[in-house]
Amino acid sequence: MVEGMFREWEKHPGTVSGIGPVRPRVSETRSRQTGDKRCERKALRPPGIDWDTPAGSPSGSVCVPVCEILAVREADVEGRGKTSGRWQRLSRRPAEGYPYAFTVSYVERVKQHRWRCRDVTFQCADGAVCQQWIHSIRDQLSKLTGRPRHLLVYINPHGGRGRGKQIYEEKVAPLFSRASISASVIVTERANHARDHLKTDADLKKYDGVVCVGGDGMFSEVLHGLVSRTQRDAGVDQNRREQRLVPCPVRIGIIPAGSTDCVCYGTVGVNDPVTSALHIIVGDSQPLDVCSIRHADALLRYSVSLLGYGFYGDVLTDSERRRWMGPVRYDVSGLKTFLAHNYYEGTVSFLPATDVAGSPRDKTTCRAGCSRCLKDSQAYGTGNCVRGRDQGGDWRVIRGKFLAVNAAGMSCACPRSPGGLSPSAHLADGTTDLILVRKCSRASFLRHLLRHTSPQDQFDLSFVEVHRVRRFCFMPRRSEHEGDPVCSSWNCDGEILPHASVDVGVHCQLIRLFARGIEDIATP
Ligand SMILES: CCCCCCCCCCCCC/C=C/[C@@H](O)[C@H](COP(=O)(O)O)NC(=O)CCCCCCCCCCCCCCC
Ligand SMILES: Nc1ncnc2c1ncn2[C@@H]1O[C@H](COP(=O)(O)OP(=O)(O)O)[C@@H](O)[C@H]1O
Ligand SMILES: [Ca+2]
């Protein structure tokens, strides 16, 4: 019976609609919105009855890849279904003669890279058949490797608009529990709480992933905690440049609840907590390059998105005093910094990534399953980074007065700038895009800034240059006149780095996120 029933499934692995003689048939397509979740009632007909539609795609049928099924559960036959612990009426009374039912939750793509959890309930005449469906779907799900079962979650209760806890409890925890994922939750009590806990105390063997609920600053804490812990466990001294860093075995999930959320936005395509929770549940994996920032050979910090000196450093320094304003602080500080129009003198030396096919101006964006990341990382080696100063090619040196020196390890797309600082940057190719904005008039700089908000090329300006690099160094010029604003600080993924002189290298694919890159599909 079971074999007959699922024979078709084996022929079409990964699709529910191919189950065969008891293929789900639509009895009603009316759906109703319940917050983020829609309920819909469908009927399963037993073999041989009213089997009029040819195989393929009967009208109204659902075809869901198994890897996008989130959960399956028995449904109540009295016309009520169980949702998040609360009883809830389904849209229709059970069809006559079909007293058994089960509900499948699966991923539905909605607008702009957003995912939603959709429920469909199938009715069934026979209780044993119903159980076989449930067991078979569960069996298929259990064969999917890479789905997390146990997660360690850190929530920053003060990030963004201060809604991290609420977002987790209302939008994320119910999805995790539906997918039978257990979560140990820590609400942080101070800055660096998550970093320190990961560095020393957390029993990482118990978890398949670490999740942070907050902004880029909170992500940065988890990044530092995990990378340091991994190196310590592997006996690697991260302060010694010549040591190759060991990639982190534990994936990181980001539930966006911050002010910019650019790491989430640039790896998922949107900063939406439900979408990110669903990417975690299906066990996505996206490798990410990590820059190490050193000063006099000692490690200062790691960064994955923006490393910005001058304009973005000054915006961040000013914005820290205005935290009480919430995310709008960046606009206020941005305007103030723009009007101040400070420039900084210094020397940038860098090692161009001549061995990669792409360039920052080639308009080939990094998308889910990016072949360029795959090719370039294989050639370069995971965790690898150019170490010796003399290793790997010809350094270039540029001296000048800069409004901004930025390095974008990924696009840095965010709601403010959907293309980001470097729209063609790759998530996992082992390079970072070094953007130099030379001193120019306010009007010219404004033109450059405004282009971040449109498809226009922000690099196509005489005072801007961009290079894809493996490593770079910045050395500020010392002041000769007292009172000159000689040094800015670095904005390192949204954290202030008070050093001006730095040496930055890219470690190819040092970490992995519960994401898949931005999907290149037409959404409904
Ligand atoms: C005139 C409009 C110009 C818009 C230009 C937008 C460029 C935006 C590029 C943003 C790159 C962001 C990279 C991410 C950095 C984050 O790691 C980091 C931390 O995030 P978290 O708070 O979530 O922890 N965020 C930031 O450092 C914030 C950077 C935001 C910069 C905003 C700049 C606004 C500039 C406004 C200029 C106004 C000029 C108006 C003249 C009339
Ligand atoms: N409980 C806490 N109290 C104060 N600061 C915290 C706490 N937890 C985390 N932080 C710090 O808050 C800063 C901002 O966090 P983040 O989640 O990135 O929000 P935002 O995007 O609004 O900046 C980070 O530097 C982080 O280290
Ligand atoms: Ca990169």
Side-chain angles (χ1 to χ4, degrees):
M1 176 66 183
V2 178
E3 270 118 40
M5 192 173 136
F6 295 108
R7 203 183 34 205
E8 286 294 311
W9 191 327
E10 279 158 20
K11 273 198 249 159
H12 307 281
T15 67
V16 172
S17 68
I19 288 180
V22 284
R23 165 162 45 190
R25 298 285 313 269
V26 180
S27 67
E28 184 190 319
T29 49
R30 190 154 50 94
S31 62
R32 103 199 147 98
Q33 195 87 35
T34 345
D36 278 331
K37 188 189 74 67
R38 277 184 254 168
C39 286
E40 196 175 279
R41 204 126 225 225
K42 308 219 166 171
L44 269 178
R45 296 278 158 87
I49 297 179
D50 188 22
W51 196 240
D52 53 358
T53 329
S57 176
S59 69
S61 74
V62 198
C63 181
V64 184
V66 170
C67 60
E68 291 185 5
I69 293 180
L70 302 165
V72 59
R73 63 192 186 282
E74 207 166 338
D76 183 57
V77 285
E78 306 295 350
R80 293 172 298 173
K82 221 180 182 181
T83 311
S84 330
R86 266 181 289 148
W87 288 95
Q88 184 191 340
R89 280 192 67 78
L90 286 171
S91 55
R92 203 178 104 116
R93 297 181 68 74
E96 198 70 35
Y98 296 93
Y100 302 95
F102 63 91
T103 299
V104 177
S105 303
Y106 62 96
V107 169
E108 185 187 49
R109 287 170 177 77
V110 291
K111 262 199 246 154
Q112 289 156 350
H113 304 288
R114 280 183 164 73
W115 284 12
R116 285 292 173 266
C117 171
R118 175 126 152 138
D119 280 357
V120 58
T121 297
F122 296 92
Q123 291 171 226
C124 207
D126 182 336
V129 170
C130 185
Q131 286 304 321
Q132 279 165 348
W133 272 81
I134 294 171
H135 287 142
S136 175
I137 295 173
R138 287 206 177 126
D139 185 49
Q140 297 277 324
L141 292 181
S142 70
K143 286 183 187 141
L144 298 174
T145 52
R147 286 202 172 191
R149 302 260 54 98
H150 309 287
L151 294 171
L152 176 57
V153 179
Y154 296 99
I155 302 176
N156 176 2
H158 306 299
R161 295 182 178 85
R163 294 185 59 242
K165 241 179 115 201
Q166 198 185 340
I167 287 171
Y168 182 76
E169 280 161 11
E170 288 175 8
K171 299 192 170 187
V172 179
L175 289 172
F176 283 174
S177 76
R178 177 169 306 180
S180 309
I181 292 175
S182 74
S184 306
V185 179
I186 297 175
V187 179
T188 61
E189 287 161 9
R190 56 176 174 85
N192 294 325
H193 182 169
R195 184 198 67 183
D196 297 344
H197 186 254
L198 275 169
K199 253 188 188 171
T200 45
D201 304 331
D203 183 1
L204 292 178
K205 285 193 290 300
K206 288 205 316 219
Y207 303 104
D208 309 309
V210 176
V211 173
C212 53
V213 184
D216 292 329
M218 197 56 191
F219 167 78
S220 180
E221 282 202 26
V222 168
L223 167 78
H224 284 83
L226 267 184
V227 173
S228 302
R229 174 70 175 269
T230 306
Q231 309 319 308
R232 203 195 63 193
D233 289 353
V236 169
D237 179 359
Q238 39 184 355
N239 276 308
R240 290 175 54 194
R241 171 175 289 286
E242 66 277 12
Q243 289 249 319
R244 182 183 182 140
L245 298 183
V246 175
C248 296
V250 182
R251 274 170 293 172
I252 305 175
I254 308 171
I255 302 294
S259 303
T260 313
D261 299 321
C262 101
V263 184
C264 175
Y265 198 99
T267 53
V268 174
V270 64
N271 57 333
D272 174 63
V274 170
T275 306
S276 290
L278 297 178
H279 279 283
I280 294 170
I281 292 171
V282 302
D284 272 345
S285 181
Q286 171 64 52
L288 202 59
D289 298 333
V290 176
C291 288
S292 63
I293 300 120
R294 291 163 199 278
H295 176 85
D297 259 8
L299 178 78
L300 295 178
R301 285 192 75 85
Y302 294 109
S303 150
V304 299
S305 59
L306 166 68
L307 193 53
Y309 183 82
F311 183 71
Y312 291 103
D314 294 353
V315 170
L316 186 69
T317 305
D318 189 76
S319 74
E320 282 300 300
R321 291 193 283 271
R322 304 176 196 275
R323 269 207 165 266
W324 57 272
M325 288 184 179
V328 79
R329 69 188 184 277
Y330 290 132
D331 300 302
V332 175
S333 299
L335 178 61
K336 192 180 156 196
T337 308
F338 171 78
L339 293 174
H341 201 61
N342 287 330
Y343 67 86
Y344 300 93
E345 286 195 69
T347 305
V348 186
S349 45
F350 60 92
L351 188 58
T354 45
D355 48 341
V356 294
S359 94
R361 299 192 59 188
D362 63 11
K363 310 251 188 300
T364 54
T365 44
C366 184
R367 288 292 176 261
C370 178
S371 54
R372 190 157 285 171
C373 284
L374 184 70
K375 222 168 120 215
D376 289 338
S377 64
Q378 277 170 351
Y380 193 48
T382 306
N384 208 356
C385 174
V386 177
R387 281 159 268 165
R389 172 96 199 172
D390 308 324
Q391 188 190 341
D394 294 328
W395 284 75
R396 287 189 55 190
V397 180
I398 295 176
R399 196 164 288 125
K401 298 172 175 162
F402 303 103
L403 291 179
V405 175
N406 304 322
M410 52 187 279
S411 72
C412 296
C414 58
R416 265 190 190 81
S417 169
L421 284 177
S422 186
S424 305
H426 284 263
L427 293 171
D429 65 341
T431 73
T432 187
D433 288 353
L434 180 64
I435 305 159
L436 307 177
V437 185
R438 290 174 187 270
K439 187 184 169 205
C440 61
S441 69
R442 279 191 185 82
S444 296
F445 188 46
L446 182 61
R447 227 172 129 207
H448 167 67
L449 285 178
L450 280 173
R451 287 189 181 186
H452 289 81
T453 62
S454 75
Q456 274 187 299
D457 183 354
Q458 60 258 41
F459 306 132
D460 188 18
L461 294 162
S462 60
F463 52 91
V464 181
E465 56 187 288
V466 58
H467 306 273
R468 187 153 286 173
V469 308
R470 295 243 185 248
R471 195 171 151 198
F472 74 92
C473 300
F474 180 77
M475 176 72 84
R477 203 188 100 134
R478 280 188 213 296
S479 165
E480 279 155 22
H481 309 284
E482 214 155 298
D484 273 5
V486 275
C487 284
S488 172
S489 24
W490 286 89
N491 176 337
C492 175
D493 287 355
E495 302 296 300
I496 297 168
L497 197 71
H499 300 71
S501 160
V502 293
D503 177 350
V504 180
V506 191
H507 300 263
C508 188
Q509 305 197 351
L510 195 62
I511 59 167
R512 284 179 304 142
L513 302 187
F514 284 109
R516 59 173 65 172
I518 299 174
E519 285 186 305
D520 210 0
I521 47 162
T523 44

